[in-house]
């Protein structure tokens, strides 16, 4: 059973005591990996938590009562969940009941609860922050106990903290960040980033993440400078510290001097100026020097004024990740909410097409508090697998897509396809839902159906897949991850995420050929398409349609209009015949530098190399 050792002094925590204060006035420069361009100067806001991320917010006097109420509601919810878990049968019944009873006792411990409420009231902070600083003191005290059994109880405190923080998430509190905030986190989830963008943060610094992590894809989409791979960053900073983020060179400068700030302000202004002169932004026909027509589409994860305006530079939307809606609604959006969202996508592209991907989520994203995490989420129940296992939700999404496609311009993209049967089943569902809508006299339009090619098995059966679909969508982010067995979100293996690996190049070639044989479009929509170097390689391999982040379009267009297809094709053939990724990288580096040095500046080439 759980109990609090009486001898321990559980005084209120000092919120800064959890950090190692750098205790220096001098600046500290940390070199890591740039994952979104730009320079920002601001103040650190530390983000904590795993499933539900949070940060410190100072409350107005008038908000305090409500915050205490929100905390009490979270305690109530957490208790209900524990009681529910206690009722479920399991082979470990006795142990389980003991553990959950112990957790329940903690949630009924008045001294713990009143400490948290006191922190909210006295320090005028949000409930999440109060929970953290109070439970941190408990954890620290437990960890210092000599008795092993008692010492290990800190895990229970962490567990209950997590539960409380998640329960607080259910309250959907909305706090705004202070001005000029630079988010610092171990890892940032797309849902958290989406939530925080409302306060217009200045930059992101994380410990974990890769070039193709969704949060950084999003950061590039909204022009938010980001640096990742900064080990132990949360131990080195405190909320409020001054910081500079250099998203060009992957540098983080803590406690910058006035001189450094001045220098970076100048650089940031220069970058703004160059950006405002971005070339080739109109939707004119794009061709290579030797006249090959190339179609550029946009990857869009949400629509706002800026994206709608910039969409005029693209021939429609190649990829809309509908799971971002899931983040927005903190769960499955209703049929009506989905219809509205998809309709606004279809409307904004007008006579062009909009590729909308069905939810590519994992159970972790939809997990109720307390549900077990998958050991390997990337290989687990996600994408089309989850849709097929939750047919009710899948049918709702299909119906919403059909009703939104009034202009007959929606392309449905199925993620993680590894077997033809998944496409055949979706076609059947599409037909059944059309019949249902017809019966109910509800208007709907026509859609095209495509498969996302991102799993090695799909490459091996690409001819069969191509026969079943109207188009193929090439997801190079996952394709590289799964082909090379390298976690795309894990910075420590970033050097193994080799986009120019012969296995990757040959796979891409095979998919493009399959599309050509069946006369169906192949839209390359991974991050590879948005890098000028890789875009040139893709064109050389035979790609005609590329879909990318709106901010990458001008640079990629400029590159494509400056290269000749025939020449790009020669290098791409050589690339496919390379023996290793290193050989491929050397070849690209030398060839492009020699041939089109005006297009591939060292900065562009370097960023291409870093992504690989
Ligand atoms: C991909 O895998 O390349 C892709 C475009 O999808 P996502 O990045 O969302 O996995
Ligand atoms: Mg993918």
């Amino acid at each position: 059973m759980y109990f609090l050792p009486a001898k321990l002094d559980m005084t209120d925590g000092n919120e800064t005591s959890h950090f190692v204060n750098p205790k220096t006035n001098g600046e500290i420069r940390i070199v890591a990996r740039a994952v979104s361009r730009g320079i920002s100067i601001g103040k650190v806001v530390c983000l904590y938590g795993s499933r539900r991320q949070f940060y410190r917010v100072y409350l107005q006097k008038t908000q305090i009562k409500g915050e205490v109420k929100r905390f009490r509601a979270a305690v109530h919810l957490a208790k209900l969940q524990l009681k529910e878990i206690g009722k479920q049968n399991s082979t470990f019944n006795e142990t389980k009941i003991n553990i959950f009873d112990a957790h329940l006792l903690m949630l009924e411990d008045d001294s713990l609860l009143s400490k948290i409420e006191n922190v909210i009231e006295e320090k005028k902070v949000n409930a999440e922050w109060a929970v953290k600083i109070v439970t941190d003191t408990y954890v620290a005290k437990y960890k210092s106990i000599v008795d092993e059994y008692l010492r290990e109880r800190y895990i229970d405190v962490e567990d209950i903290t997590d539960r409380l923080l998640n329960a607080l998430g259910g309250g959907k509190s909305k706090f705004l960040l202070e001005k000029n905030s630079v988010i610092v986190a171990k890892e940032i989830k797309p849902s958290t980033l989406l939530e925080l963008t409302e306060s217009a943060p200045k930059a992101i610094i994380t410990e974990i993440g890769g070039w193709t992590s969704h949060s950084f894809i999003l950061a590039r989409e909204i022009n938010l400078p980001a640096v990742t791979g900064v080990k132990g960053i949360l131990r080195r900073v405190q909320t409020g510290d001054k910081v500079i983020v250099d998203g060009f060179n992957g540098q983080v400068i803590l406690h910058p001097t006035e001189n450094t700030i001045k220098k970076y302000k100048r650089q940031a202004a220069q970058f703004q100026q160059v950006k405002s002169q971005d070339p080739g932004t109109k939707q004119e026909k794009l061709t290579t020097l030797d006249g090959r027509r190339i179609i550029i589409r946009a990857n869009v994860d949400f629509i706002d004024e800026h994206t709608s305006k910039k969409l005029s530079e693209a021939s429609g939307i190649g990829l809309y990740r509908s799971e971002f809606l899931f983040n927005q609604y903190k769960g499955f959006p209703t049929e009506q909410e989905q219809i509205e969202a998809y309709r606004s996508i279809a409307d904004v592209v007008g006579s062009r097409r909009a590729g909308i991907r069905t939810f590519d989520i994992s159970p972790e994203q939809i997990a109720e508090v307390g549900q077990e995490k998958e050991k390997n989420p990337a290989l687990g129940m996600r994408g089309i697998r989850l849709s097929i296992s939750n047919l009710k939700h899948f049918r709702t999404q299909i119906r919403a897509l059909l009703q939104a496609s009034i202009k007959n311009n929606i392309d449905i993209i199925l993620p993680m396809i590894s077997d033809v049967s998944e496409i055949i089943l979706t076609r059947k569902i599409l037909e059944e839902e059309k019949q249902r809508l017809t019966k109910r006299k509800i208007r709907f339009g026509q859609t095209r159906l495509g498969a996302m090619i991102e799993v090695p098995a799909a490459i091996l059966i690409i001819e069969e897949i191509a026969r079943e679909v109207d188009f193929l969508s090439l997801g190079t982010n996952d394709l590289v991850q799964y082909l090379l067995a390298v976690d795309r979100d894990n910075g420590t293996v970033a050097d193994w995420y080799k986009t120019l690996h012969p296995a990757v190049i040959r796979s891409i070639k095979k998919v493009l050929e399959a599309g050509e044989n069946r006369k169906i479009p192949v839209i390359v929509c991974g991050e590879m398409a948005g890098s000028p170097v890789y875009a040139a390689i893709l064109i050389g391999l035979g790609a005609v349609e590329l879909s990318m982040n709106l901010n990458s379009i001008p640079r990629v267009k400029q590159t494509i209009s400056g290269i000749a297809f025939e020449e790009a094709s020669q290098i791409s053939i050589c690339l496919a015949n390379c023996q290793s990724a290193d050989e491929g990288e050397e070849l690209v580096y030398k060839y492009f530098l020699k041939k089109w040095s005006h297009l591939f500046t060292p900065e562009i080439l370097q960023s291409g190399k870093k992504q690989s």
Side-chain angles (χ1 to χ4, degrees):
M1 287 292 265
Y2 175 88
F3 65 93
L4 294 177
K7 275 181 276 159
L8 294 180
D9 170 22
M10 303 291 185
T11 49
D12 281 349
N14 169 352
E15 56 200 82
T16 57
S17 67
H18 311 286
F19 310 104
V20 179
N21 191 327
K23 280 203 175 120
T24 166
N25 293 327
E27 62 184 33
I28 301 170
R29 287 175 181 248
I30 307 169
V31 179
R33 260 174 305 121
V35 277
S36 181
R37 289 150 49 96
I39 289 170
S40 281
I41 303 164
K43 283 192 176 162
V44 166
V45 171
C46 294
L47 208 67
Y48 294 96
S50 49
R51 285 196 196 167
R52 163 88 192 165
Q53 297 187 295
F54 64 93
Y55 47 95
R56 184 183 71 190
V57 181
Y58 285 119
L59 304 177
Q60 306 288 334
K61 231 176 162 179
T62 50
Q63 294 176 296
I64 292 175
K65 233 177 162 183
E67 196 60 2
V68 171
K69 221 165 132 193
R70 190 167 77 89
F71 169 66
R72 287 182 186 162
V75 174
H76 180 68
L77 177 64
K79 284 199 311 207
L80 283 182
Q81 285 163 354
L82 282 173
K83 283 178 188 158
E84 197 50 44
I85 295 171
K87 274 192 230 154
Q88 288 159 12
N89 275 330
S90 107
T91 32
F92 307 107
N93 251 355
E94 202 173 323
T95 328
K96 192 188 75 178
I97 287 169
N98 277 347
I99 292 171
F100 287 102
D101 273 355
H103 287 193
L104 209 51
L105 269 183
M106 268 188 86
L107 287 177
E108 279 162 0
D109 176 357
D110 282 341
S111 105
L112 171 71
L113 303 184
S114 59
K115 273 187 186 106
I116 295 173
E117 291 186 11
N118 284 347
V119 173
I120 298 175
E121 284 162 354
E122 282 162 22
K123 294 187 187 284
K124 300 187 182 60
V125 288
N126 48 329
E128 286 87 346
W129 195 257
V131 167
K132 177 170 165 54
I133 67 171
V134 172
T135 55
D136 267 4
T137 59
Y138 278 67
V139 169
K141 298 274 160 57
Y142 272 112
K143 280 186 173 172
S144 66
I145 299 176
V146 181
D147 179 274
E148 196 186 338
Y149 175 78
L150 279 181
R151 194 171 58 241
E152 289 300 308
R153 300 286 66 76
Y154 82 86
I155 295 171
D156 294 313
V157 183
E158 283 185 345
D159 215 352
I160 209 70
T161 305
D162 256 10
R163 184 170 296 285
L164 270 177
L165 289 172
N166 283 317
L168 279 165
K172 293 189 185 168
S173 69
K174 276 228 169 125
F175 294 118
L176 289 183
L177 289 173
E178 282 168 38
K179 250 182 157 184
N180 296 332
S181 290
V182 170
I183 304 162
V184 177
K186 185 161 176 132
E187 184 173 24
I188 186 162
K189 292 203 270 175
S191 52
T192 311
L193 185 56
L194 272 181
E195 200 175 299
L196 291 175
T197 47
E198 282 183 38
S199 329
K202 283 279 182 181
I204 313 173
I205 306 169
T206 70
E207 198 167 308
I208 300 173
W211 176 263
T212 57
S213 298
H214 275 165
S215 296
F216 298 131
I217 291 177
L218 198 61
R220 292 193 287 277
E221 202 171 321
I222 56 176
N223 274 321
L224 186 63
V227 171
T228 189
V230 192
K231 292 222 172 78
I233 184 67
L234 279 172
R235 287 198 309 274
R236 305 180 74 167
V237 294
Q238 294 179 21
T239 290
D241 282 352
K242 261 196 195 151
V243 65
I244 297 177
V245 179
D246 176 352
F248 292 110
N249 299 303
Q251 267 208 49
V252 170
I253 304 165
L254 305 177
H255 321 294
T257 61
E258 278 311 310
N259 262 349
T260 310
I261 292 178
K262 258 192 223 151
K263 190 181 127 203
Y264 273 92
K265 272 190 178 159
R266 267 199 311 274
Q267 281 187 20
Q270 273 167 6
F271 173 56
Q272 277 309 328
Q273 208 184 350
V274 173
K275 229 172 63 183
S276 62
Q277 295 161 357
D278 268 346
T281 53
K282 271 165 249 85
Q283 200 204 322
E284 69 229 7
K285 278 196 175 157
L286 174 69
T287 58
T288 58
L289 284 177
D290 47 355
R292 186 167 169 94
R293 172 104 166 84
I294 303 297
I295 297 164
I296 301 288
R297 299 192 197 279
N299 288 357
V300 170
D301 296 317
F302 59 91
I303 297 283
D304 62 10
E305 233 176 275
H306 168 77
T307 43
S308 325
K309 222 163 82 199
K310 280 204 116 190
L311 264 171
S312 62
E313 297 165 16
S315 305
I317 292 176
L319 174 65
Y320 170 77
R321 295 176 169 94
S322 69
E323 62 272 18
F324 278 89
L325 275 183
F326 192 90
N327 292 328
Q328 192 182 320
Y329 287 98
K330 306 251 184 302
F332 285 105
T334 63
E335 185 167 335
Q336 198 49 42
E337 284 164 345
Q338 289 189 58
I339 294 171
E340 278 162 29
Y342 306 148
R343 224 172 246 173
S344 66
I345 306 282
D347 280 349
V348 81
V349 295
S351 58
R352 297 163 283 162
R353 300 200 69 82
I356 300 181
R357 182 171 73 184
T358 55
F359 293 133
D360 189 6
I361 40 176
S362 61
E364 207 192 323
Q365 283 164 280
I366 51 172
E368 290 301 318
V369 183
Q371 193 160 322
E372 263 186 46
K373 269 188 176 182
E374 283 188 306
K375 241 185 171 174
N376 291 309
L379 302 180
M381 181 62 87
R382 55 167 282 202
I384 190 71
R385 301 171 189 171
L386 194 67
S387 296
I388 287 177
S389 314
N390 289 276
L391 280 180
K392 189 172 149 261
H393 288 304
F394 193 33
R395 284 180 182 276
T396 304
Q397 186 168 30
I398 294 286
R399 273 198 307 279
L401 286 162
L402 284 167
Q403 290 169 81
S405 194
I406 296 298
K407 293 181 185 153
N408 303 315
N409 63 349
I410 288 185
D411 290 341
I412 301 176
I413 309 170
L414 304 175
M416 288 281 288
I417 291 294
S418 61
D419 193 307
V420 178
S421 63
E422 293 154 344
I423 306 164
I424 295 173
L425 175 64
T426 307
R427 277 226 189 271
K428 185 170 162 272
I429 291 173
L430 259 166
E431 286 318 308
E432 286 168 1
E433 291 308 326
K434 278 184 197 171
Q435 282 172 19
R436 258 171 88 175
L437 290 171
T438 311
K439 257 195 206 151
R440 288 160 59 198
K441 298 198 171 39
I442 295 174
R443 251 181 93 203
F444 63 89
Q446 295 308 313
T447 53
R448 296 195 308 187
L449 185 64
M452 195 134 197
I453 306 302
E454 49 189 351
V455 172
I459 306 285
L460 296 175
I461 55 163
I462 193 66
E463 301 292 346
E464 284 91 334
I465 290 180
R467 239 177 272 143
E468 298 297 333
V469 291
D470 305 310
F471 66 94
L472 295 167
S473 178
L474 189 51
T476 56
N477 304 338
D478 275 322
L479 185 61
V480 177
Q481 154 165 274
Y482 294 128
L483 264 178
L484 306 182
V486 178
D487 180 352
R488 62 192 261 195
D489 292 327
N490 181 349
T492 51
V493 286
D495 286 347
W496 279 267
Y497 191 93
K498 290 176 188 282
T499 307
L500 295 182
H501 192 291
V504 175
I505 300 296
R506 288 175 209 171
S507 298
I508 294 174
K509 198 160 166 274
K510 202 163 156 16
V511 176
L512 292 167
E513 283 167 1
E516 209 178 310
N517 292 342
R518 290 295 306 175
K519 305 260 168 302
I520 56 171
V522 179
I523 302 140
V524 187
C525 61
E527 290 302 288
M528 211 180 157
S531 143
V533 188
Y534 294 146
I537 294 166
L538 290 166
I539 301 295
L541 287 168
V544 181
E545 299 196 33
L546 305 180
S547 188
M548 66 199 69
N549 180 327
L550 279 167
N551 294 319
S552 302
I553 292 180
R555 283 191 308 149
V556 170
K557 274 190 174 175
Q558 193 193 24
T559 309
I560 290 173
S561 56
I563 61 168
F565 166 66
E566 284 304 331
E567 285 168 313
S569 170
Q570 277 167 23
I571 170 127
S572 297
I573 291 168
C574 294
L575 249 186
N577 292 328
C578 277
Q579 287 205 40
S580 68
D582 290 348
E583 197 186 313
E585 274 177 29
E586 270 320 297
L587 187 97
V588 169
Y589 196 80
K590 274 193 205 142
Y591 189 89
F592 283 143
L593 202 60
K594 206 168 79 194
K595 185 84 206 158
W596 292 304
S597 54
H598 62 294
L599 292 173
F600 297 100
T601 59
E603 187 239 2
I604 281 186
L605 275 169
Q606 212 186 2
S607 70
K609 276 191 107 166
K610 272 183 192 158
Q611 292 156 32
S612 63

